[in-house]
Amino acid sequence: MTSIKEQAAISRLLSFLQEWDNAGKVARSHILDKFIETNQGKTAPELEQEFSQGASLFLVRLTTSLRITYMTDSCLEKLLRSIGIFLSAVSSNRYLIEFLEVGGVLTLLEILGLEKIKEEAKKESVKLLQVIANSGRTYKELICESYGVRSIAEFLAKSKSEETQEEVQVLLDSLVHGNPKYQNQVYKGLIALLPCESPKAQQLSLQTLRTAQPIIGTTHPSIVDCVLKVLGTMHLEVQYEAIELIKDLVGYDVRQALLKGLVELLIPSVKENSKLQAKILSAHPQPADVFAAGRGRQGHRGPGAQRHEHRRGAAVPARGAWPNGRHGQQGPQQQPAAGQSHAGVLRADVPLGGRARAQVHGGGTLPALPGCRPAPHLQHPSAKPNSKSRLPWHPSRVPLAPVLRATLRTCT
């Protein structure tokens, strides 16, 4: 027979559950507030003691309410936080299984894809997925089998909150560790995030890729193009992460493709060259026009006098107007970033009497790549300093005739 204390505790539990069943939206919101305040951080035995060994009865009601009302965003954030108290409690494996048996993972993933749901509720959903993923390999596989990687990656690309995006990065990092069956799926999802429009998502994806690459061991064929395209961003923090990832990828089988792609980024396209030349010609007058204008204003004063006048106070051409590129730079953002990548990754070495070979950071050499021209492009001011500083030639060790032929081929 039960004691008087046990009967009183059971009576309080039944009264509490009946109050929840009969409560409306506002009343349930107050019940959830009180539950979160009084039970935050409790262990599973403490929760059982609080609910007279009937905590699972309240958890069932929470999960049922979540599945019914999650599309309407009715107390959704508080519901998720209350469920999180059960799932994150110490010795809560029983609660976790009960939540998964009713389709909890699918519900959490579907919340991430709904546009009407508030960002705070989606953040709580991501935290619950973190708790599930950290519970073991079986639960990580369950998330991946539920098309979780795709849903999580899409949410990371679309999210507008940096705090939520950082929580998603923690989740992806957890899924790539201790998950050999689906770690390649997570790896491909991270690569697919690189072309997205969110700079924060790009930065976090590159950081996670640096962690995932040693775990995967091999590289995906598309990673080189995706990483090199990221170098064109205007966000320096994204460029930095891309350069650091390139340094890590040098030790893998994509080394030669990286070298070729980085050198090609220093060479502007024909379209960029035509635009640059037109801008230079329109902003910088021809010498004949300058001298004619000087003679018209000052009579018979020669070019030497005009040069002296220019030194005294004449207007200096605007930044970027110098044809030789000494006063500013033109061209896409990939070229400075590619130059920085060369500084940390690649260095050209030309042996005596032989063809050029590229010495790669970390040891070893590669044959000179066809189509990769170390000589600077003569018509682009940004490519010349980068090529000169990152791929230095050693004229004293190279015969003059081959260098001249290579330079002529570069110019043409």
Side-chain angles (χ1 to χ4, degrees), residues 71-390:
M71 289 188 177
T72 62
D73 198 17
S74 176
C75 301
L76 182 57
E77 182 183 357
K78 297 178 182 179
L79 275 173
L80 293 172
R81 291 180 62 186
S82 300
I83 295 174
I85 291 176
F86 283 97
L87 300 188
S88 60
V90 179
S91 305
S92 62
N93 190 58
R94 188 183 74 178
Y95 302 146
L96 179 60
I97 294 175
E98 291 175 358
F99 179 71
L100 298 179
E101 285 178 348
V102 297
V105 170
L106 293 174
T107 304
L108 295 177
L109 292 175
E110 193 169 352
I111 289 174
L112 299 181
L114 296 177
E115 297 182 357
K116 297 181 180 179
I117 304 299
K118 295 180 181 179
E119 196 77 15
E120 292 78 7
K122 293 182 179 181
K123 182 179 178 180
E124 293 297 329
S125 179
V126 171
K127 288 183 178 180
L128 286 182
L129 289 171
Q130 291 177 9
V131 173
I132 296 172
N134 292 333
S135 299
R137 172 179 171 180
T138 303
Y139 303 104
K140 294 179 182 180
E141 293 178 353
L142 177 61
I143 294 175
C144 296
E145 289 171 357
S146 304
Y147 302 98
V149 175
R150 180 177 179 178
S151 301
I152 295 168
E154 289 179 353
F155 174 63
L156 175 59
K158 296 178 181 178
S159 177
K160 304 300 182 182
S161 171
E162 292 190 358
E163 293 182 0
T164 306
Q165 288 177 318
E166 291 174 356
E167 295 291 343
V168 176
Q169 182 200 20
V170 174
L171 175 59
L172 290 172
D173 185 75
S174 176
L175 291 176
V176 83
H177 285 85
N179 188 16
K181 187 175 181 180
Y182 293 102
Q183 62 186 15
N184 282 316
Q185 187 181 86
V186 181
Y187 178 67
K188 294 176 183 177
L190 291 170
I191 296 175
L193 279 170
L194 296 182
C196 72
E197 297 180 356
S198 172
K200 187 65 175 180
Q202 289 178 325
Q203 180 187 9
L204 297 176
S205 301
L206 290 167
Q207 290 177 353
T208 313
L209 276 172
R210 292 187 62 194
T211 305
Q213 189 60 62
I215 299 174
I216 304 300
T218 58
T219 56
H220 193 270
S222 64
I223 191 171
V224 175
D225 291 337
C226 293
V227 174
L228 291 179
K229 288 179 181 177
V230 172
L231 291 177
T233 181
M234 298 291 292
H235 300 271
L236 298 181
E237 67 276 8
V238 181
Q239 281 192 11
Y240 171 80
E241 296 297 340
I243 292 172
E244 293 299 314
L245 179 58
I246 289 173
K247 293 179 182 179
D248 295 342
L249 291 176
V250 167
Y252 296 88
D253 54 352
V254 294
R255 180 188 307 172
Q256 187 170 355
L258 277 174
L259 173 60
K260 183 177 180 180
L262 288 171
V263 174
E264 288 178 350
L265 286 179
L266 294 175
I267 304 174
S269 63
V270 177
K271 184 178 180 180
E272 293 170 358
N273 277 336
S274 60
K275 290 183 178 179
L276 180 62
Q277 291 176 354
K279 185 175 182 180
I280 292 174
L281 292 176
S282 61
H284 195 67
Q286 296 297 326
D289 298 336
V290 173
F291 296 148
R295 287 193 299 268
R297 290 193 305 266
Q298 303 177 12
H300 299 286
R301 298 177 66 183
Q306 185 174 358
R307 284 198 299 270
H308 286 294
E309 180 178 344
H310 180 76
R311 292 194 197 99
R312 293 192 199 101
V316 180
R319 183 175 181 86
W322 293 98
N324 58 6
R326 292 177 297 173
H327 203 328
Q329 291 188 355
Q330 301 286 342
Q333 291 293 321
Q334 288 99 327
Q335 294 192 343
Q340 295 176 23
S341 301
H342 279 88
V345 183
L346 310 172
R347 181 174 64 85
D349 189 13
V350 185
L352 179 61
R355 60 177 181 153
R357 298 173 66 86
Q359 185 173 358
V360 183
H361 173 74
T365 58
L366 291 174
L369 298 174
C372 295
R373 298 171 288 182
H377 198 283
L378 300 181
Q379 295 179 347
H380 201 285
S382 178
K384 292 200 294 183
N386 283 326
S387 299
K388 182 178 178 181
S389 60
R390 309 311 180 191

